[in-house]
Amino acid sequence: MTTPKKTPATAETPTAPADAVTAVTTTEARPEETPTVTVPAAVVGPTLSVDVDPVTVVLAHHLRIDGTEYKPGDEVLVNPDFARHLRTQGYANRA
């Protein structure tokens, strides 16, 4: 396969003005950047201490924990101290 040779521009060949803007469009859709979790797989937030059971809380507001977005109504397993903090700040429903 051969590459076509470029021909030099002459006075008869129209050229684009220097301030012309070329629009580039893409047809690819961007993936959503933040994942949405509906079922807790593990304890989120601070790690558990030894011999401490995780607590399930129902979130009252949108919240991002460890880079993951949670919607209102989602149930998450958390450290009991973190659950108390979330309830105090109004991010989790009172039990």
Side-chain angles (χ1 to χ4, degrees):
M1 183 166 159
T2 60
T3 307
K5 293 183 180 181
K6 293 183 180 179
T7 58
T10 61
E12 296 147 4
T13 307
T15 58
D19 61 343
V21 178
T22 305
V24 178
T25 59
T26 58
T27 58
E28 296 179 21
R30 289 186 152 189
E32 190 173 321
E33 294 180 14
T34 55
T36 302
V37 177
T38 56
V39 178
V43 176
V44 297
T47 58
L48 290 172
S49 302
V50 179
D51 297 331
V52 176
D53 293 329
V55 177
T56 302
V57 295
V58 179
L59 298 177
H61 298 281
H62 283 90
L63 187 64
R64 181 182 295 215
I65 304 173
D66 295 334
T68 304
E69 290 248 347
Y70 297 94
K71 293 190 263 182
D74 285 349
E75 292 184 357
V76 293
L77 286 174
V78 295
N79 184 328
D81 291 331
F82 189 53
R84 187 175 336 109
H85 172 74
L86 290 173
R87 289 184 184 112
T88 303
Q89 298 297 320
Y91 285 102
N93 295 329
R94 303 241 177 223

